[in-house]
Amino acid sequence: MKMAKRACTLEFKELAVKRVQDGQTLGRKGKELRLVEQALRNRVKAAAAGKLGGADGKVVTPQERELSRLRAETSGSSGSWKS
């Protein structure tokens, strides 16, 4: 039976990409986030090309991603989601 495709928010995708860019392996991070390794690899490539989209499929520019990241950092200043 085919698994249903899960919609992820842009913030979730950005967080996953950032953790891989910070040196965590695709396989380990994929298991932690319950993502197929290839899906995570595709997101890393899309982010590098400036084409990482949110759950609605909207393409987000690198500037919009950076603003979103900065908002997430300032709103989550307790550090509970960072590892």
Side-chain angles (χ1 to χ4, degrees):
M1 177 155 71
K2 196 172 186 179
M3 291 179 60
K5 188 174 179 180
R6 183 172 68 163
C8 298
T9 64
L10 178 60
E11 288 77 17
F12 178 82
K13 291 177 182 181
E14 288 176 336
L15 177 63
V17 168
K18 181 170 177 8
R19 289 187 178 177
V20 170
Q21 290 171 340
D22 286 345
Q24 297 183 19
T25 65
L26 284 167
R28 180 173 164 215
K29 195 52 22 206
K31 285 180 184 177
E32 275 182 32
L33 297 172
R34 297 177 38 202
L35 293 172
V36 176
E37 186 175 334
Q38 186 61 47
L40 188 51
R41 183 177 287 114
N42 292 344
R43 290 176 184 169
V44 170
K45 283 177 72 173
K51 296 181 180 180
L52 188 63
D56 60 359
K58 176 186 169 207
V59 174
V60 180
T61 67
Q63 293 83 6
E64 290 171 322
R65 273 201 327 265
E66 181 64 11
L67 285 172
S68 178
R69 184 188 67 76
L70 291 171
R71 281 189 211 111
E73 278 185 5
T74 56
S75 67
S77 59
S78 65
S80 60
W81 60 272
K82 293 182 180 179
S83 38

